[in-house]
Amino acid sequence: MLKLFERNTLNVADITDDTTAIDVRNLNLWFGNKHVLNDISMRIPKNKITALIGQSGCGKSTLVNCFNRLNDLYDGCKYEGEIVIGGKNINSKKVNVSRLRTQVGMVFQRPNPFPMSIYDNVCYGLRLQGVKTRRHLDDAVESALKDAALWDEVKDRLFESANALSGGQQQRLVIARALALKPEILLLDEPTSALDPLTTLFIEELMAVLKKRCTIVIVTHNMQQASRVSDYTAFFHQGRLIEYADSDSLFTMPDKKQTEDYITGRYG
Amino acid sequence: MNSLFSPAHRQSLVISLTAFFTSLLLIALVSVLVLISFRGGAYFWPEPIYDVTYKDAVGSEYGAINNTSDTNEADNGNKKPQTSIKDRKNRENKENRIFAQLYITDEAERIYQVHYADDQSPYGAQMQLAEADVINMELAHNSAEIKTIDGRFVLGQPQFLTTPDSRRQDLSHFADIQSRVTALSSQIEKIRSERLSPIHESLASLDGKGVNRNAPARKRLETQFERWQHDVIHFEQERDEYELRITFANAQEYSIRVSEIKSIDYVSQLSYFEKWQVVFNRVATFLTDSPKQANTSGGVFPALFGTVLMVFLMTIIVTPFGVLAAIYLSEYAPDTPFTTAIRISVSNMAGVPSIVYGVFGLGFFVYTLGGNIDAFFFADKLPAPTMGTPGVFWASLTMAILTLPVVIVATEEGLRRVPEGLKRGSYALGATKVETIVKTILPIASPGIMTGVILAIARAAGEVAPLMLVGAVKFAPTLPIDGEFPYLHLERQFMHLGVLIYDGAFHSSTDAKNSSMMFAACLLLLMVVFVLNVLAVILRTRLRKRYLQG
Ligand SMILES: Nc1ncnc2c1ncn2[C@@H]1O[C@H](COP(=O)(O)OP(=O)(O)OP(=O)(O)O)[C@@H](O)[C@H]1O
Ligand SMILES: [Mg+2]
């Protein structure tokens, strides 16, 4: 258990181009006239878990949604600056947003399985990509469900409705759904806030395993969770990145007073 | 005052008031259902025939009031035979004896509505009869309700059958003789279709070629034609000599051609079970036969068929249009004052009187669109219009426009219910907008879409006024479907249950109390709508179970 969460992290400043999964450069974002993200620059390292923390409404979700351009769904949203993933600026108009979203998977706060069978849920993304052969789909479903540690629980009822699963199972199904596309980056927006502590632990262990295969960005309000699972932590306040460091330093000796206040629970 | 109406009192007052109005509503609903099913059902029930002797009250206010051949109608409360009132017999008045079926009695004044037959009006007539005028009344065991092919009824006592060799045959040979007559009829039909019409066509083609009147080919054909024609006449004469002799209550005789008889029901001696058999047969006839006697008898098959076809076509047209429009409005259209105006006018369109749509359909679809189609594609047939005349296609299109708002509003409602999280989940997996709509939004919105379609169907099935402008008629000689290319004739006029009922309501010259096929058609329409609704509700619950988070 302890070993699972043992870290081997560099200083934030030492993250090189090679080890960067997401490079955010001077990102500004507005919803209408509201300046929601204010000049954010940060490098999110590959195959690590990076936690985003901060008060409600500070723009964590908005930032995460920038990584797969989900903010495009909102009419009043404008943004400036660059986000480089895999050597390309994804904020460019030329980017194929659908392809980007298959490379950057996302799990939401509330489990949102589609009202279809478990099998169809996991296949959703693959079918969109034109995968039709039954054998491919079967294999992909099995491996994705195994990766999400759900296979044993559902292998006998793959064709039953996903709505019949428990909340924790649903959340793992949603993770499996994203993993089926073999994403390079997995964005988790408060994935455990609707779950009980035991299931939460379960999903945290899952993250520790998954980080070997992809970069994970997790938004959380739970300080213990952030310090437990993440390698790096970024603290936001009112749309600004206040402090970004490896989790050990950030949680033991934060640089900024604001950060310290927040993590010790003096406000927020 | 306050002590009188304590909060608890006030609450119970509100409850009883609201409950009162709810129960009023329920009563209204139930009475509609009961009336329609009772009167509609009674149309099929075999009523016993009574042998009635009454004094002809000259100058009485209850004379025979009409001569239409109306059919069965019953009122459960008055089925028991009324016994004689001999003591009131008045020798000065003439006595009449009739076979009659008794219907509603005016409870207060003791007046019967009777449907009777005698030698004066063998095919039935109606009148009102005061109980005071009845001298004697008893169940006529051996009399029967004899139904003819053309939908009329005779009430009489069958005596014997006559054959061409003018011999009497016992009634027990009826089935035998009837099959002989049928054989003759089909022989005649065969000669007509296989011999006479080809010759007729050849003659017509000779005419077309301008062949001389006295050309030998023509002469030969004409003699052939005459020979076959002669055979037909011969067979017809033979067929018509098979007759059923009946007597009326006053012992007058009357003959009916066997070829005209459809069924003979000895309604006065039927057991309960046999009555149900008769009902069953009549229902079957009602559903499969075409209307007779100006929509007062026979069946409603063409109207049922027309209604279903029209509704079906309308559904095919309105569903994609409505769903696409709703998708545009709720998923694509920007939120501008203009789209808001569109939304408001769509929901208001549902309240536009239907006759307006009828006029629009007639003016735009039939005359403008249809007229132009004729001008471009069927110019050779002009001035006889092909599409430029009311027909089932224009009717379906008009009804589609009429029901479009319903479908749009219901679909929009369904689309709005799709959880935002699911849409985002779909986009996050790389789906485009179209893919998200097709694979996630539409399935989840399908119960809402179904609701809209059902409402549209129910509305279209019951609509009358606009349909009469754009293609529904009281009587259509042909169905819109037949074996002739292109099989589905969308330009033809059609019959519709609603129009039939409307026609029936105007038509029955008796008081509406004692009416007829109108109620049966009404019951059928009610059942069609009910079945459609039940089907839709089942479908909707299944979709809902499948697609909504439980
Ligand atoms: N679609 C939107 N339209 C307009 N404003 C928005 C929209 N989404 C978010 N905002 C605003 O942007 C700011 C940041 O919101 P965001 O959801 O990123 O906060 P958050 O840090 O994720 O908060 P929480 O911890 O409560 O989830 C908030 O002030 C919010 O009101
Ligand atoms: Mg959030």
Side-chain angles (χ1 to χ4, degrees):
Chain A
M1 187 76 180
L2 262 179
K3 214 160 173 227
L4 205 61
F5 293 129
E6 201 170 277
R7 306 177 193 128
N8 169 22
T9 48
L10 296 163
N11 241 325
V12 177
D14 296 334
I15 300 169
T16 61
D17 281 352
D18 293 346
T19 53
T20 304
I22 308 171
D23 190 352
V24 185
R25 298 174 188 163
N26 306 101
L27 181 69
N28 281 287
L29 186 142
W30 295 264
F31 277 117
N33 294 325
K34 191 170 178 195
H35 202 166
V36 175
L37 294 179
N38 199 334
D39 200 29
I40 309 254
S41 294
M42 65 189 290
R43 288 178 154 189
I44 292 173
K46 265 186 193 154
N47 293 90
K48 302 286 181 199
I49 299 177
T50 304
L52 310 183
I53 59 172
Q55 214 180 330
S56 184
C58 69
K60 306 175 299 285
S61 299
T62 308
L63 178 62
V64 169
N65 287 344
C66 284
F67 300 157
N68 64 354
R69 299 251 315 246
L70 217 54
N71 285 321
D72 290 9
L73 299 181
Y74 304 113
D75 282 337
C77 178
K78 287 195 305 283
Y79 44 82
E80 276 173 7
E82 293 183 355
I83 298 173
V84 180
I85 294 178
K88 269 189 260 169
N89 174 19
I90 62 158
N91 279 355
S92 138
K93 291 265 179 296
K94 280 176 264 171
V95 164
N96 178 338
V97 178
S98 288
R99 172 117 38 85
L100 170 73
R101 286 177 186 156
T102 61
Q103 289 160 0
V104 183
M106 183 159 198
V107 173
F108 300 85
Q109 176 173 2
R110 296 190 148 270
N112 57 350
F114 300 124
M116 318 168 176
S117 69
I118 294 168
Y119 185 93
D120 289 338
N121 259 283
V122 182
C123 288
Y124 193 89
L126 288 172
R127 287 201 172 123
L128 288 175
Q129 304 211 321
V131 179
K132 286 209 181 72
T133 39
R134 187 64 198 235
R135 202 163 47 80
H136 281 183
L137 291 175
D138 283 349
D139 290 349
V141 168
E142 180 167 348
S143 74
L145 286 172
K146 276 182 175 160
D147 289 344
L150 190 60
W151 175 253
D152 291 331
E153 287 158 68
V154 300
K155 62 171 184 261
D156 301 324
R157 45 170 178 155
L158 286 177
F159 296 98
E160 282 171 34
S161 168
N163 287 336
L165 296 175
S166 76
Q169 288 173 327
Q170 287 187 355
Q171 199 62 308
R172 275 178 283 150
L173 175 65
V174 174
I175 294 175
R177 192 168 78 182
L179 291 178
L181 291 169
K182 307 232 171 295
E184 287 151 27
I185 299 167
L186 191 59
L187 310 172
L188 307 172
D189 191 350
E190 302 184 41
T192 58
S193 64
L195 306 178
D196 71 288
L198 214 67
T199 322
T200 303
L201 207 65
F202 202 96
I203 287 188
E204 285 173 9
E205 285 172 28
L206 185 61
M207 285 193 283
V209 176
L210 287 177
K211 78 172 181 184
K212 297 198 183 75
R213 295 213 267 112
C214 54
T215 306
I216 295 177
V217 179
I218 175 173
V219 174
T220 178
H221 280 287
N222 182 333
M223 291 311 117
Q224 281 84 14
Q225 184 173 57
S227 64
R228 217 164 33 221
V229 300
S230 67
D231 300 301
Y232 293 89
T233 301
F235 171 62
F236 292 84
H237 185 66
Q238 294 188 342
R240 288 171 200 277
L241 176 61
I242 305 296
E243 188 168 353
Y244 178 37
D246 54 291
S247 304
D248 286 335
S249 352
L250 190 127
F251 283 103
T252 49
M253 23 176 201
D255 260 358
K256 303 264 168 51
K257 178 83 172 55
Q258 263 180 324
T259 319
E260 192 182 340
D261 287 350
Y262 182 72
I263 58 179
T264 53
R266 245 163 272 162
Y267 71 77
Chain B
M1 202 61 188
N2 267 353
S3 61
L4 239 173
F5 291 108
S6 70
H9 273 124
R10 242 177 284 157
Q11 199 188 350
S12 66
L13 197 74
V14 171
I15 291 175
S16 32
L17 209 69
T18 46
F20 172 71
F21 283 105
T22 314
S23 47
L24 269 190
L25 185 83
L26 249 161
I27 290 168
L29 211 85
V30 167
S31 39
V32 167
L33 280 181
V34 166
L35 180 92
I36 297 295
S37 11
F38 190 69
R39 291 239 189 269
Y43 175 67
F44 302 106
W45 188 254
E47 276 298 305
I49 300 171
Y50 291 97
D51 183 342
V52 180
T53 313
Y54 69 98
K55 65 179 177 191
D56 197 359
V58 184
S60 136
E61 55 187 305
Y62 317 113
I65 53 173
N66 70 55
N67 274 329
T68 59
S69 59
D70 238 286
T71 48
N72 274 356
E73 175 63 27
D75 189 338
N76 262 348
N78 299 291
K79 265 182 186 163
K80 52 180 187 293
Q82 306 286 318
T83 40
S84 59
I85 320 163
K86 286 191 179 112
D87 47 344
R88 303 186 77 185
K89 187 171 167 185
N90 184 340
R91 282 163 210 285
E92 283 168 24
N93 282 337
K94 197 178 127 216
E95 279 176 18
N96 273 347
R97 213 170 150 193
I98 53 170
F99 283 134
Q101 287 167 322
L102 310 175
Y103 298 109
I104 298 155
T105 316
D106 185 321
E107 284 300 338
E109 299 191 34
R110 315 295 297 162
I111 296 169
Y112 299 115
Q113 182 75 37
V114 297
H115 171 220
Y116 70 97
D118 60 11
D119 55 319
Q120 302 297 315
S121 40
Y123 286 99
Q126 295 203 27
M127 65 172 176
Q128 290 184 326
L129 189 58
E131 194 180 303
D133 294 332
V134 174
I135 295 158
N136 183 33
M137 172 148 64
E138 60 200 21
L139 206 59
H141 280 285
N142 293 323
S143 61
E145 199 176 298
I146 301 159
K147 200 174 169 192
T148 62
I149 303 262
D150 60 7
R152 294 185 293 177
F153 288 90
V154 180
L155 303 179
Q157 189 164 333
Q159 299 293 344
F160 53 86
L161 294 151
T162 57
T163 56
D165 45 26
S166 51
R167 269 196 318 186
R168 288 185 177 196
Q169 293 269 6
D170 192 66
L171 284 174
S172 57
H173 297 298
F174 181 72
D176 217 26
I177 285 176
Q178 200 178 29
S179 65
R180 235 183 289 168
V181 168
T182 319
L184 275 171
S185 293
S186 60
Q187 211 167 350
I188 292 166
E189 200 38 52
K190 205 170 150 195
I191 294 175
R192 282 223 171 96
S193 64
E194 287 178 12
R195 307 285 177 192
L196 288 178
S197 17
I199 295 175
H200 202 81
E201 271 166 35
S202 323
L203 280 171
S205 81
L206 287 184
D207 274 347
K209 287 182 200 144
V211 175
N212 191 304
R213 291 232 151 265
N214 297 318
R218 182 191 283 275
K219 280 278 172 233
R220 205 167 50 242
L221 281 175
E222 274 171 2
T223 41
Q224 264 180 23
F225 190 89
E226 260 157 43
R227 213 178 58 233
W228 288 117
Q229 185 73 34
H230 180 80
D231 281 1
V232 166
I233 292 168
H234 174 77
F235 282 133
E236 274 178 347
Q237 272 170 355
E238 185 184 338
R239 182 185 67 181
D240 292 346
E241 277 170 46
Y242 288 100
E243 284 184 329
L244 173 69
R245 186 68 56 84
I246 60 168
T247 52
F248 291 112
N250 54 8
Q252 293 293 326
E253 288 195 335
Y254 188 74
S255 292
I256 307 173
R257 287 175 186 162
V258 173
S259 62
E260 284 177 359
I261 294 175
K262 186 166 165 118
S263 64
I264 301 179
D265 293 320
Y266 289 89
V267 283
S268 299
Q269 44 177 275
L270 292 179
S271 68
Y272 191 67
F273 175 70
E274 286 166 329
K275 279 187 181 175
W276 276 106
Q277 276 183 322
V278 172
V279 168
F280 187 79
N281 285 336
R282 286 184 183 175
V283 169
T285 314
F286 181 71
L287 291 179
T288 54
D289 209 354
S290 51
K292 308 274 163 63
Q293 301 297 310
N295 297 348
T296 56
S297 174
V300 293
F301 178 72
L304 184 61
F305 183 86
T307 309
V308 171
L309 179 71
M310 190 276 293
V311 166
F312 182 72
L313 287 174
M314 179 218 69
T315 313
I316 290 179
I317 299 167
V318 79
T319 312
F321 271 77
V323 170
L324 288 177
I327 287 176
Y328 176 75
L329 283 178
S330 79
E331 302 291 325
Y332 286 99
D335 241 343
T336 62
F338 180 63
T339 48
T340 313
I342 291 183
R343 279 203 188 92
I344 292 173
S345 46
V346 164
S347 29
N348 281 336
M349 259 164 73
V352 171
S354 54
I355 190 73
V356 174
Y357 288 100
V359 171
F360 170 77
L362 185 68
F364 182 69
F365 292 142
V366 177
Y367 292 147
T368 311
L369 246 138
N372 280 317
I373 291 175
D374 276 357
F376 284 112
F377 299 105
F378 303 102
D380 47 330
K381 287 191 193 158
L382 283 173
T386 311
M387 293 303 287
T389 172
V392 64
F393 180 69
W394 298 132
S396 309
L397 207 57
T398 307
M399 294 317 279
I401 301 267
L402 189 148
T403 52
L404 192 60
V406 182
V407 176
I408 292 180
V409 169
T411 306
E412 263 200 290
E413 183 64 31
L415 292 175
R416 219 172 294 131
R417 280 217 208 115
V418 179
E420 200 59 30
L422 288 185
K423 294 188 200 171
R424 308 215 308 152
S426 171
Y427 288 122
L429 288 168
T432 60
K433 186 151 197 173
V434 175
E435 286 165 342
T436 302
I437 288 173
V438 172
K439 296 192 74 170
T440 305
I441 299 182
L442 277 185
I444 299 174
S446 55
I449 297 174
M450 278 306 300
T451 313
V453 172
I454 312 310
L455 289 175
I457 287 177
R459 174 122 197 239
E463 202 60 75
V464 175
L467 287 174
M468 290 177 69
L469 294 184
V470 291
V473 285
K474 285 192 263 185
F475 182 76
T478 47
L479 286 180
I481 238 174
D482 61 20
E484 215 175 284
F485 186 81
Y487 310 118
L488 188 60
H489 302 273
L490 295 180
E491 77 286 355
R492 283 192 191 160
Q493 296 190 319
F494 67 106
M495 292 180 71
H496 185 271
L497 276 176
V499 176
L500 197 82
I501 294 166
Y502 175 82
D503 182 43
F506 271 99
H507 198 275
S508 49
S509 29
T510 47
D511 53 336
K513 270 199 294 182
N514 171 30
S515 205
S516 49
M517 205 158 96
M518 176 183 85
F519 283 109
C522 214
L523 182 63
L524 181 64
L525 183 61
L526 209 65
M527 268 158 35
V528 167
V529 172
F530 181 75
V531 166
L532 284 174
N533 271 301
V534 167
L535 276 182
V537 168
I538 291 171
L539 198 63
R540 193 171 60 193
T541 10
R542 283 181 62 173
L543 287 173
R544 214 174 251 167
K545 236 188 233 151
R546 196 157 144 212
Y547 287 120
L548 287 190
Q549 263 111 334

